[in-house]
């Protein structure tokens, strides 16, 4: 009985994963309005009844697709922010990693363009903050603790930087030249971070 239940659970989980994967692909290619549940079920090679067993409808499936895309970005950034490099190097690598994610078609279409409309701006914003804000705050806290940046208010600074990153994501995803805009955003944000950086005493002496 335990083996049978385990097989059923595995099948159920694989069915759900196939549906979410299909949803990500189709929502990325055609958008929310241009994608039907029939198409998603067909691509996942399951029945529509199986789809409704896991999801109450199209919006619920979209939110699962959104969570998947957001989780992939979060996992990538979390790995960078917990890496072996110095806090300053991790901060710069995390910034570049986020901007690289903004070039991903699935992240652009689902997380940036479609989610605020489908989920509503407030729910989308809450989900974005739940996924990314903590990493931004932790990064700033780490920089302060090791003396890389001045002792600025952590929460306020994190909110402002998070807002800048959110705006940057929209600019990149909306541009006909996303790679060019991404490079420009990186240059500006790195300059902003450098502006917060504490200058070592030796460098103060050279400047004078």
């Amino acid at each position: 009985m335990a083996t049978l239940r385990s097989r059923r659970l595995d099948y159920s989980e694989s069915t759900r994963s196939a549906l979410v994967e299909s949803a990500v692909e189709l929502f990325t290619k055609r958008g929310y309005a241009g994608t039907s549940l029939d198409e998603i079920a067909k691509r996942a090679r399951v029945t529509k009844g199986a789809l409704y067993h896991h999801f109450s409808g199209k919006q619920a499936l979209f939110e699962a697709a959104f969570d998947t895309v957001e989780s992939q970005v979060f996992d990538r950034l979390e790995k960078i922010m917990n890496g072996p490099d110095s806090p300053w190097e991790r901060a710069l690598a995390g910034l570049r990693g986020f901007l690289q994610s903004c070039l991903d078609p699935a992240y652009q279409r689902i997380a940036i363009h479609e989610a605020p409309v489908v989920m509503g701006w407030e729910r989308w914003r809450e989900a974005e903050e739940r996924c990314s804000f903590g990493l931004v705050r932790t990064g700033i806290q780490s920089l302060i603790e090791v003396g890389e940046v001045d002792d600025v208010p952590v929460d306020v600074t994190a909110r402002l930087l998070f807002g800048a990153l959110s705006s940057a994501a929209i600019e990149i995803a909306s541009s006909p030249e996303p790679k060019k805009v991404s490079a420009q955003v990186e240059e500006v944000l790195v300059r902003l971070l450098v502006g917060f950086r504490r200058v070592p005493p030796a460098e103060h002496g050279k400047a004078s």
Side-chain angles (χ1 to χ4, degrees), residues 81 87 91 134-144:
M81 298 306 289
L135 290 178
V136 174
R137 192 187 187 287
T138 299
I140 293 171
Q141 185 69 54
S142 297
L143 290 173
I144 293 172

Side-chain angles (χ1 to χ4, degrees), residues 160-208:
L160 291 174
L161 183 55
F162 179 77
L165 291 172
S166 297
S167 296
I170 294 171
E171 287 295 319
I172 293 168
S174 303
S175 173
E177 298 181 281
K179 289 185 179 180
K180 179 180 178 181
V181 173
S182 177
Q184 292 172 339
V185 167
E186 180 180 337
E187 180 182 358
V188 172
L189 290 180
V190 168
R191 287 188 180 188
L192 287 174
L193 288 174
V194 169
F196 282 108
R197 199 174 190 190
R198 182 173 289 169
V199 180
E203 294 187 25
H204 276 300
K206 291 178 183 178
S208 61

Side-chain angles (χ1 to χ4, degrees), residues 31-206:
Y32 183 78
T35 301
S36 70
L37 290 178
D38 287 324
E39 290 174 307
I40 294 172
K42 182 178 180 181
R43 178 170 290 233
R45 297 182 179 180
V46 303
T47 64
K48 201 169 179 181
L51 186 154
Y52 278 115
H53 174 74
H54 291 278
F55 301 99
S56 59
K58 188 172 167 182
Q59 180 164 337
L61 188 47
F62 176 87
E63 292 184 12
F66 170 82
D67 288 342
T68 295
V69 171
E70 283 282 350
S71 294
Q72 289 171 351
V73 173
F74 177 84
D75 291 345
R76 189 180 307 129
L77 296 181
E78 186 179 42
K79 186 175 181 180
I80 292 172
M81 298 306 289
N82 291 328
D85 296 326
S86 70
W88 180 255
E89 290 170 334
R90 291 201 303 266
L92 295 182
L95 170 61
R96 295 186 182 107
F98 175 74
L99 296 178
Q100 188 64 40
S101 296
C102 292
L103 296 174
D104 176 61
Y107 187 74
Q108 286 186 357
R109 189 70 180 266
I110 294 174
I112 300 174
H113 286 308
E114 300 276 359
V117 179
V118 178
M119 299 167 60
W121 192 88
E122 287 189 7
R123 287 189 63 202
W124 167 73
R125 189 68 174 174
E126 287 173 2
E128 286 277 289
E129 291 198 8
R130 190 167 56 248
C131 179
S132 304
F133 178 74
L135 290 178
V136 174
R137 192 187 187 287
T138 299
I140 293 171
Q141 185 69 54
S142 297
L143 290 173
I144 293 172
E145 288 174 356
V146 298
E148 281 282 5
V149 301
D150 291 324
D151 190 10
V152 294
V154 176
D155 285 332
V156 171
T157 306
R159 288 282 173 198
L160 291 174
L161 183 55
F162 179 77
L165 291 172
S166 297
S167 296
I170 294 171
E171 287 295 319
I172 293 168
S174 303
S175 173
E177 298 181 281
K179 289 185 179 180
K180 179 180 178 181
V181 173
S182 177
Q184 292 172 339
V185 167
E186 180 180 337
E187 180 182 358
V188 172
L189 290 180
V190 168
R191 287 188 180 188
L192 287 174
L193 288 174
V194 169
F196 282 108
R197 199 174 190 190
R198 182 173 289 169
V199 180
E203 294 187 25
H204 276 300
K206 291 178 183 178

